[in-house]
Amino acid sequence: MTNAHDAGARPGRALLLLPVQAVLVAALGLLVTGPLAHHWPLSAEDDVNRALADGRAPSATSLTDWLSLVADTQTVIGLTLLCVLGLLLVPRAPRWWEAGFLAVSVAAQSAVFLLVTLVVNRDRPDVPHLDGAPPTSSFPSGHVGASAALYGGLAVLAARHLRGVWRNLVVGLLLLVPLAVAFSRLYRGMHHPSDVVVGLLNGACTLLVVGAALLPDARKGEAEPEPAAPGTRRAVVVRHPHACDDGTAARVRTVLRRHGYAEQRWTDTTPEDPSGGLAPHLTGADADPTGPAEPVGPVEPVDLVVVCGGDGTVRACADLVAGTGVPLAIVPCGTGNLLARNLGLPVEPVAALREALSGRAVGLDVGRIRGDGLAPTRFAVMAGAGFDAAMVRDASPRLKERLGWAAYVLSAARHLRDPRMRLSIRLDGGAPLERRARMVVIGNVGSLQGGLPLLPEARPDSGRLEVVLLDPRGVTGWLAAAGYLASRAPGRSRASGTRERTAAHGALEYFGATRVDLRFARPQPRELDGDVLPAGTRLTAEVEPGALRVCLPAPTRIGAQAVSGKDGKEVAEHGHRDARTAAR
């Protein structure tokens, strides 16, 4: 789980401040209703309520009615549940700590409010009330406190994930909601001014306490510079210009400098060159003066390759880096980021880089693939043909930009009725197996978005590739396949070998081998790590064990076992040590 170690370092001790908060709010309420009641400004509160009541207008009454509705108990509970479910189901990986932060903040604010109303008994203002008055004290305002906890909590999460103008706009709008709710409660005669002020304080203090207890610090480790390593180490950064914004790029530069990479060469990808002209930086050859790479002319080989992009950009770079011994660090900025998630990297781009550079470089497998109309190339995640390739091919670029991986779900719905394909599959040079299927996937790793284990036994350090054929028949077949995959836990390994097995009443068939040859009766759409390939009738994939060195957090776990180099030898890449070839 992403950033779980941060929470483990501070196991919710700050939550012990919530009872103290309740006592302080109750004590403040007793002062407001007792010794301070006849002193200014509390003595002028009734005048404020009467002035607002006398100046009511139909348009303002309608607006405040809506504002009170967005903060009533049913709305707050419903929106909180929806937001929590969204944080767990919509992102590329469940955001457990952020979901817990939001849910606990709303619940804790309500608990403090209810405890205080048991101690403080304050009548509502002596003006006409526009809402039904619940049987609780007017002090503090429950509507205002709940809106501060919910919408303020959403503002905190938005500030953590958005950048630029959108960050300021969304955070600003969310923070305006509790203030607008506070005004509506005064206007509608439901609370004194001090009630809504303390309601805002109650919600804000709850956010501070719960955030300190539960929220992992996305920028942990960036506050204080780390000492630079002696000498100069070189890194080349391949950046997808649309996936990696300028703010993320600036933070990547800072993290690299703090880990001793004083010399950084930045290069952007292009549609014609998805690796951003990386090859010369690996070999020391002259850079192409017409390409995106800089500087032009002879360059010194680098000590680290950093890839800021999605799976397609990572694949293009991994194809060149594999076999060179140069370690690769992944900054996940794409739509899917399947490799990063399967390797246990944080989904926040800069946090992923920071943890990877503080961990170790591990030798992982890659697949080498070729086919009709395809130049031999490597992949790190999955290669496929049929249904999944058509889904990738027809996903709207605009929807991918707005919805992320959910755009693939919409595209998939269009291909549920596509005809089955006839194919033969040959494993490690054995006899061909004739099959019909809707799709075939060859995987170096096994999990899809949301952690769905399409290939539960695939591991990028196993020295083999896993294959799945999907052939559901009708609605029941799709449901059987989906239910089987949802019930599988990654890491439940079976014995190695090429013997096939079926699951989900024949809707899924699994194989494993070091070489897989596929032949299709008709040209089929094909994809490689999320990139669309020309349709064709052949695919051949072979595993290259331990060919790619990837910087991973320490300790790194995939499935149930720690990632290691071949023969169980892990290769450390701590802080400022020079790169070393992975043990085989």
Side-chain angles (χ1 to χ4, degrees):
M1 183 165 55
T2 302
N3 287 335
H5 63 281
D6 289 335
R10 50 182 185 198
R13 293 180 182 176
L15 295 178
L16 297 176
L17 294 175
L18 289 174
V20 178
Q21 177 182 326
V23 171
L24 293 176
V25 175
L28 184 58
L30 293 175
L31 290 174
V32 167
T33 57
L36 302 180
H38 302 292
H39 295 274
W40 193 90
L42 297 178
S43 60
E45 287 191 309
D46 290 340
D47 295 335
V48 174
N49 289 113
R50 282 193 291 268
L52 289 173
D54 292 341
R56 288 171 182 167
S59 58
T61 299
S62 298
L63 176 61
T64 56
D65 182 39
W66 182 83
L67 288 171
S68 288
L69 180 63
V70 301
D72 69 8
T73 302
Q74 293 82 0
T75 303
V76 168
I77 292 175
L79 285 178
T80 301
L81 290 176
L82 286 176
C83 292
V84 168
L85 289 175
L87 288 167
L88 297 179
L89 299 178
V90 173
R92 301 177 181 93
R95 293 173 178 161
W96 295 99
W97 296 107
E98 293 184 351
F101 159 73
L102 194 62
V104 173
S105 294
V106 174
Q109 180 281 144
S110 299
V112 171
F113 161 74
L114 291 174
L115 289 173
V116 172
T117 59
L118 296 177
V119 178
V120 180
N121 185 14
R122 190 182 198 186
D123 294 332
R124 296 188 183 274
D126 187 18
V127 296
H129 301 158
L130 298 183
D131 293 327
T136 54
S137 169
S138 178
F139 181 96
S141 172
H143 279 67
V144 174
S147 65
L150 173 58
Y151 300 104
L154 291 174
V156 170
L157 299 183
R160 291 166 61 86
H161 295 289
L162 299 180
R163 295 289 180 269
V165 175
W166 279 109
R167 178 183 184 181
N168 297 333
L169 179 62
V170 173
V171 172
L173 290 176
L174 287 170
L175 291 180
L176 282 177
V177 175
L179 297 176
V181 170
F183 172 78
S184 75
R185 302 305 286 168
L186 292 176
Y187 177 90
R188 301 179 72 79
M190 304 309 299
H191 291 286
H192 305 275
S194 57
D195 300 337
V196 299
V197 170
V198 176
L200 289 170
L201 289 175
N202 182 34
C205 290
T206 303
L207 289 176
L208 288 174
V209 170
V210 178
L214 299 184
L215 275 186
D217 187 355
R219 297 173 183 257
K220 183 178 180 181
E222 290 190 27
E224 295 296 332
E226 299 174 14
T232 299
R233 292 199 296 165
R234 296 173 293 274
V236 60
V237 183
V238 179
R239 175 194 178 196
H240 191 296
H242 301 298
C244 178
D245 59 36
D246 292 340
T248 300
R251 295 170 62 199
V252 167
R253 292 179 190 273
T254 300
V255 172
L256 286 172
R257 281 196 299 268
R258 291 172 179 172
H259 282 79
Y261 293 95
E263 182 180 328
Q264 300 175 29
R265 308 169 192 164
W266 284 70
T267 175
D268 286 352
T269 66
T270 65
E272 297 76 22
D273 187 356
S275 69
L278 175 61
H281 296 275
L282 296 173
T283 62
D286 287 357
D288 181 1
T290 65
E294 293 185 3
V296 175
V299 295
E300 291 292 330
V302 295
D303 303 300
L304 176 71
V305 173
V306 180
V307 184
C308 303
D311 288 314
T313 306
V314 173
R315 187 209 65 77
C317 295
D319 183 33
L320 299 174
V321 174
T324 66
V326 178
L328 180 78
I330 300 172
V331 180
C333 299
T335 303
N337 300 317
L338 286 179
L339 182 60
R341 292 209 317 274
N342 276 272
L343 296 179
L345 287 167
V347 295
E348 202 282 321
V350 180
L353 176 63
R354 187 170 54 248
E355 294 197 15
L357 294 181
S358 298
R360 52 178 61 103
V362 177
L364 301 182
D365 307 337
V366 292
R368 187 170 182 85
I369 198 161
R370 63 182 186 274
D372 53 318
L374 303 178
T377 188
R378 296 180 175 92
F379 67 96
V381 183
M382 299 175 186
F387 171 79
D388 70 315
M391 173 189 69
V392 171
R393 180 194 63 198
D394 295 337
S396 166
R398 293 184 63 184
L399 288 179
K400 285 196 294 182
E401 183 178 350
R402 295 181 179 181
L403 302 179
W405 62 266
Y408 293 119
V409 177
L410 298 178
S411 176
R414 300 166 51 190
H415 294 283
L416 291 176
R417 294 183 177 273
D418 285 359
R420 301 159 69 204
M421 57 183 176
R422 295 175 54 191
L423 73 151
S424 67
I425 178 171
R426 186 190 299 265
L427 306 171
D428 291 333
L433 305 173
E434 302 296 328
R435 293 291 189 272
R436 286 181 177 267
R438 295 190 182 275
M439 81 172 189
V440 56
V441 172
I442 305 170
N444 187 44
V445 297
S447 294
L448 301 177
Q449 285 85 356
L452 188 69
L454 179 64
L455 292 159
E457 292 146 22
R459 288 175 49 84
D461 59 350
S462 65
R464 54 191 269 123
L465 299 170
E466 301 295 331
V467 186
V468 62
L469 297 180
L470 175 67
D471 189 28
R473 308 290 179 86
V475 175
T476 57
W478 284 103
L479 292 176
Y484 176 82
L485 293 176
S487 67
R488 302 302 295 168
R492 295 181 180 178
S493 300
R494 65 184 174 92
S496 298
T498 59
R499 182 169 55 87
E500 64 273 13
R501 65 181 179 90
T502 59
H505 307 292
L508 295 164
E509 188 171 12
Y510 291 98
F511 308 89
T514 58
R515 176 187 169 110
V516 181
D517 291 285
L518 299 174
R519 298 292 184 272
F520 307 106
R522 295 180 178 179
Q524 297 295 330
R526 300 175 292 184
E527 63 90 11
L528 196 65
D529 284 4
D531 287 339
V532 178
L533 302 177
T537 59
R538 300 195 307 274
L539 278 179
T540 297
E542 296 179 85
V543 68
E544 294 184 1
L548 181 66
R549 298 183 64 219
V550 179
C551 297
L552 298 178
T556 298
R557 302 182 68 81
I558 299 175
Q561 303 175 15
V563 176
S564 63
K566 300 300 114 178
D567 300 325
K569 298 180 181 179
E570 293 183 336
V571 183
E573 178 72 5
H574 291 287
H576 312 297
R577 295 185 185 179
D578 290 333
R580 298 181 300 182
T581 304
R584 301 294 171 87

